[in-house]
């Protein structure tokens, strides 16, 4: 399972540059083994909702409905506190990483290279 950080989903759906193309290629290579959490949905929907972009909101909702969503377990929040304390990451980034670790994901896709150090063995791919 590959946990996909919010920024990667944004690149997938909104980025027309080489970075977006790279993300779309990786999604096509990995198939259906991609997962998110409800936190990813929340982060991705903020700007389209604020901007009143109903088309993009629907695009995210359809995409998210097709991707398995992992529960954020209470234990993940405790580990997120440890990650945040040790690595001085933002709360949301710590929760994403802790959720992926809790569910024993094989990889974590993000654009934040700082998460590679905090991942403690979880394979991190940055775009």
């Amino acid at each position: 399972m590959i946990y996909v950080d919010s920024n990667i989903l944004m690149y997938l759906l909104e980025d027309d540059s080489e970075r977006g193309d790279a993300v779309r290629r990786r999604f096509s290579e990995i198939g259906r083994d991609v997962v998110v959490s409800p936190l990813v949905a929340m982060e991705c929907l903020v700007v389209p909702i604020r901007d009143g972009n109903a088309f993009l909101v629907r695009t995210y909702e359809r995409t998210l409905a097709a991707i398995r969503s992992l529960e954020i377990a209470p234990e993940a929040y405790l580990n997120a506190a440890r990650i945040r304390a040790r690595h001085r990451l933002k709360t949301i980034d710590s929760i994403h990483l802790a959720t992926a670790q809790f569910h024993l994901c094989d990889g974590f896709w993000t654009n934040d290279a700082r998460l590679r150090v905090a991942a403690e063995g979880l394979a991190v791919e940055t775009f």
Side-chain angles (χ1 to χ4, degrees):
M1 279 187 303
I2 306 297
Y3 186 100
V4 177
D5 198 354
S6 306
N7 48 48
I8 300 302
L9 203 55
M10 291 174 192
Y11 299 156
L12 176 75
L13 299 178
E14 298 184 60
D15 192 334
D16 292 330
S17 73
E18 289 181 26
R19 180 175 56 192
D21 291 342
V23 169
R24 285 183 283 281
R25 270 193 306 279
R26 291 296 285 137
F27 264 80
S28 68
E29 293 168 6
I30 199 74
R32 295 198 171 267
D33 207 19
V34 173
V35 295
V36 295
S37 73
L39 188 55
V40 170
M42 187 275 305
E43 284 189 292
C44 289
L45 288 168
V46 169
V47 172
I49 290 170
R50 183 179 57 218
D51 292 347
N53 188 337
F55 175 78
L56 191 53
V57 169
R58 284 191 308 275
T59 300
Y60 274 111
E61 289 173 342
R62 280 193 299 263
T63 301
L64 288 161
I67 299 173
R68 191 171 110 199
S69 183
L70 302 176
E71 170 193 6
I72 303 174
E75 297 89 349
Y77 287 104
L78 295 174
N79 191 36
R82 290 182 193 98
I83 291 168
R84 184 164 164 25
R86 282 189 209 128
H87 300 283
R88 300 190 183 273
L89 295 174
K90 293 180 181 177
T91 298
I92 288 177
D93 293 331
S94 299
I95 294 170
H96 284 308
L97 189 53
T99 300
Q101 290 172 335
F102 177 81
H103 288 281
L104 303 175
C105 290
D106 303 307
F108 187 90
W109 291 356
T110 185
N111 78 338
D112 190 341
R114 296 173 308 140
L115 294 174
R116 185 181 314 272
V117 174
E120 299 176 358
L122 178 63
V124 175
E125 187 170 345
T126 55
F127 291 83

